[in-house]
Each structure stands twice: as structure tokens, then as C-alpha cells.
Amino acid sequence: MKTYDVIVIGAGNGRLAAAAECARAGLSTLLLERRNIPAG
């Protein structure tokens, strides 16, 4: 089973930015969004 340092739920603008910063910092990051486009 894969483990993540950070899980971000929802792909609004702020959460996309947070997920990107976490990934840039080297954290294993999972971004979940229920729709097929970000910032719905």
C-alpha cells in the first residue's frame, strides 16, 4: 500500500497551490478531486 506525507482533498486554486508547494518540498503528495477538471 502506498503511503503519502500529504493528502489534499479538493482542487481549488488554494489547494492546488498547497499541493504544488508540498511536492516541491519533496513530500509525497496526493491530490484528490471528484470532478474531471480542477478548480471546478
Side-chain angles (χ1 to χ4, degrees):
M1 175 181 236
K2 176 79 173 155
T3 60
Y4 297 95
D5 297 316
V6 178
I7 299 173
V8 179
I9 301 172
N13 291 333
R15 291 181 180 151
L16 281 172
E21 286 298 315
C22 290
R24 280 191 208 117
L27 298 171
S28 175
T29 305
L30 174 65
L31 176 63
L32 300 173
E33 171 58 48
R34 91 170 98 165
R35 295 182 183 91
N36 61 351
I37 57 172

